[in-house]
Amino acid sequence: MAMGASPRVLCVIVLLASLLTWGSCDAAGDGRRQQLTMLPPRGWNSYDSFSWTIDEAAFLHNAQIMADKLLPHGYQYAVIDFLWYRKNVNGSGKDSYGFDSVDQWGRPFPDPERFPSSAGGKGFKHIADRVHAMGLKFGIHLMNGISTQAVNASTPVLDVHTGKAYVEDGRQWTARDIGITHRTCAWMSNGFMSVNTDVGAGRAFLRSLYQQYADWGVDFVKVDCIFGTDYSPKEIVAVSETLKELERPVILSISPGTEATPALAENISQHVDMYRITGDDWDNWKDVRPHFDVARSFADANKIGATALRGRSWPDLDMLPFGRLTDAGVNQGPHRSTNLTFDEQLTQMVLWSMVKSPLMYGGDLRHLDDETFNLITHPTLLKINHHTKNNMEFGDIHSERTSEPNEQSGRSDLANNGGTVLGLSTCSDKRASGWYSSSNDQICRSYGIQNRNASFCISKAKLRQTVDGVTMRNEEDQAKFHLAGMDTDDGCLDASASPWRTSSASRTPMFSTCERHSKQVWELTENGHLVSSYSGLCATVHSSKEGESETTGARAWTATGDKGEIYVAFFNLDTASRKIAVRVPDLEKVAGRKLARKHLCTCTEVLSGKSRSLMKGDISAVVSSHGSMLFEIQC
Ligand SMILES: *[C@@H]1O[C@H](CO)[C@@H](O)[C@H](O)[C@H]1NC(C)=O
Ligand SMILES: *[C@@H]1O[C@H](CO)[C@@H](O)[C@H](O)[C@H]1NC(C)=O
Ligand SMILES: *[C@@H]1O[C@H](CO)[C@@H](O)[C@H](O)[C@H]1NC(C)=O
Ligand SMILES: *[C@@H]1O[C@H](CO)[C@@H](O)[C@H](O)[C@H]1NC(C)=O
Ligand SMILES: *[C@@H]1O[C@H](CO)[C@@H](O)[C@H](O)[C@H]1NC(C)=O
C-alpha cells in the first residue's frame, strides 16, 4: 500500500469529474468501495431444486450450465443455499442437532461427504476457484449468529489479527460468552442463535467468519433468520460493518421477508444490497399473488434501487420456481416439475422485471427446457429489469370480466379468504394498535367488518416459568410477557417465520404447539400494541374482506426505459379472463409528455409482437386468468 495514496487521489478526481465512472476506483485494488449492485443481481440458487441436499458435483454442473447459457444474459451469482455444513444422513434434517461440521473456532465448514474438495480444511476455496474460472461469482447461504453446537462446545473465538484465541480483559472468550441462548432462530431453534455484538468478542467472531468466507473467494452471502419476522437490526448492521472492513467485496442479501414492510426496511436497506420482502415463494399461484401488494408498497416508498452497502439496494421478490424442483423442507433433490402454468410463470417474470427484483432462477439447470430458458432470458424483460426507472403500480385502470370464473379456483379462493386475518407489522402501522385487556383474562382487538364491529380475542395463557432457558423471575416479567393461547387446542400465538412459511401463508392465523420460546411471548403495551418479544413487531388483525379487492381483479405497472420508452404491464389476478384498459391521457401524466400525437408513437405488445394504435385514446386487451401483457410505447 506504499503507492496507495496516489490512486486514491486520482480516484476522487475521477469521481468528481463524472458520477458515471463510479466504480473505476476498483482499479486501484481497493475492493471496499466497489459498486457491485448498481443493477439488481441475477443468478441461480440451489434451494428450490435441492432444498439443502446439494452436493459438489450437482452444484458445479449447474454452475457450468449457468455459465454457458445464462451468464450472457447477466445471470452471474451461483449460490449454495442452506445447511451446506450438515451431514445428509439418517436423522439429520432442517432442525436436527449434532450433524454439523464445526471447526475449532466454532465456524461451520462444508460437509466433506457432499463437498469432497473441502476436505483438509480447504472450505469452499476449490469450488469458488472453479466457479470464478467459469466467469461467475460465488455465493453461500448463512444462518444468522452462531451454531448451537459451537456454543455447547465452548469453542474459543478466533482473533483474525493474531491468529490466536480472542483475549480481552485478560481472558479468552468462547462461543458460550457470545451466543445469546434465549435468542435462538425461531424456525431452527436447535441450529443457531444470535451473537452478542455489543461485546468485542462477538464482533471478533463475525470477523473470523466473514474473513474466512472472503478467503475462500465468496462474493455473495445470503444471511437468513435476520429480517422479516426474524427482524434483528443490530445484527444486520454488525454483519454489514464486518463486510465493509474486508478487502474482498462481498455483497449482502438478507431474509426471510415474511411480513416485511417499507417501515421495517427503513433503517436497514442502506446496510445491505438486497432484502427479501415476502415469505418463501413456491410454485403456487397463491404464493405469487401477494407479491403485487408488497411490491407496490416498496415502490411507493421509493425503496427500489435506494442507496446500499455496495451500490443500490433491491427489494427481493424471491427466486423463480420454474422447471425442475423439489419441495420445501424435504431431504430430497429435484423430482417434479413446476406447478405454475405458463401464464403464471410469465406473469411472475413480468412482475419481477417491472419491480427490478433480483432474478435468481431456482429450477435444476440440468433440466432447463427451451420454453423456460426463453422466459428467463427474454431480452425485453431483462432490459426492463436492469434499465428502467419510475417503476410503479399504475392505479388508473379499468377492467371487467369477460368470462365466468373458473369455479374450482374461485371456490378455493373464497375458502382461503374467509374469517379473521392475523398478521405482524411494524408497530407504527395503524392496524397494530387497539389491543386491550378484557375482564376475563383475554386480549382483544375490535375491527370493522362490513359496517359492523367485530372483536377478536385471544386467551392470556400463563407464561411458562422459563422461556428459552431464561427464568421469568419477578413481577415485572410477569406483567410484561404474556404467552397468549386460545382456550381451544389451537396452541399458542406464534410470531416465527420459517422458510416453509410461504408468502401466501403469511396472513393465516399463527398458532402452533406451545413451546418455551420467545417467538410465542407477547407483551401488551399501554399504547394498545401486542408486541412480539422475539422480533419487536406488532400483531395486527383485520377482516379478510378488507383485503379481498386487493388480491383479485386487475393490476397495471408502468416503467420508463433508458431511451424514454414507456412500458405498461397488465396483470389479471382474477380467476376469470378480464378486459383491462388504461386511458392514454392518464398514461401521459405518468410519462410527462404527449403519447397520442399522430404517427409519432408506436405501441407494441412485447410478448406477441403485435402493434396497435394509440389514436383510439386507450390501450385495452383481454387478458386470460393469471395472465399478463406487456406494452412498449416508443415515440
Ligand atoms: C436409513 O434409513 C433408511 C430408511 O429408514 C434405511 O433403509 C437405511 O438402512 C438407513 N441407513 C442407515 C445407514 O442407517
Ligand atoms: C448441549 O450439550 C449438552 C451436553 O453437554 C446436551 O445435553 C444438550 O442437549 C446440547 N444441546 C442441544 C441443543 O442439544
Ligand atoms: C428506525 O430507527 C429509528 C431511529 O433510531 C427508530 O425510532 C425506529 O423505531 C426504527 N424503526 C424500526 C422499524 O426498527
Ligand atoms: C404441486 O403439485 C403437487 C401435486 O398436485 C402438490 O402435491 C404440491 O403440494 C404442489 N406444490 C406446491 C408448492 O404448490
Ligand atoms: C365501531 O366501534 C367504534 C369504536 O368503538 C365506533 O366509533 C363505531 O361507531 C362502531 N361502529 C359500528 C358500526 O358499530
Side-chain angles (χ1 to χ4, degrees), residues 154-171:
S154 288
T155 53
V157 172
L158 171 65
D159 182 341
V160 292
H161 302 302
T162 63
K164 298 190 186 123
Y166 182 86
V167 176
E168 196 184 322
D169 293 338
R171 68 174 178 103

Side-chain angles (χ1 to χ4, degrees), residues 67 138 157 220 228 260 293-294 320-321 378 433 528 530 584 598 633:
F138 178 57
V157 172
F220 173 108
D293 292 345
V294 181
L320 301 166
H378 191 288
S433 59
L530 187 57
V584 172
K598 212 169 189 169
I633 302 168

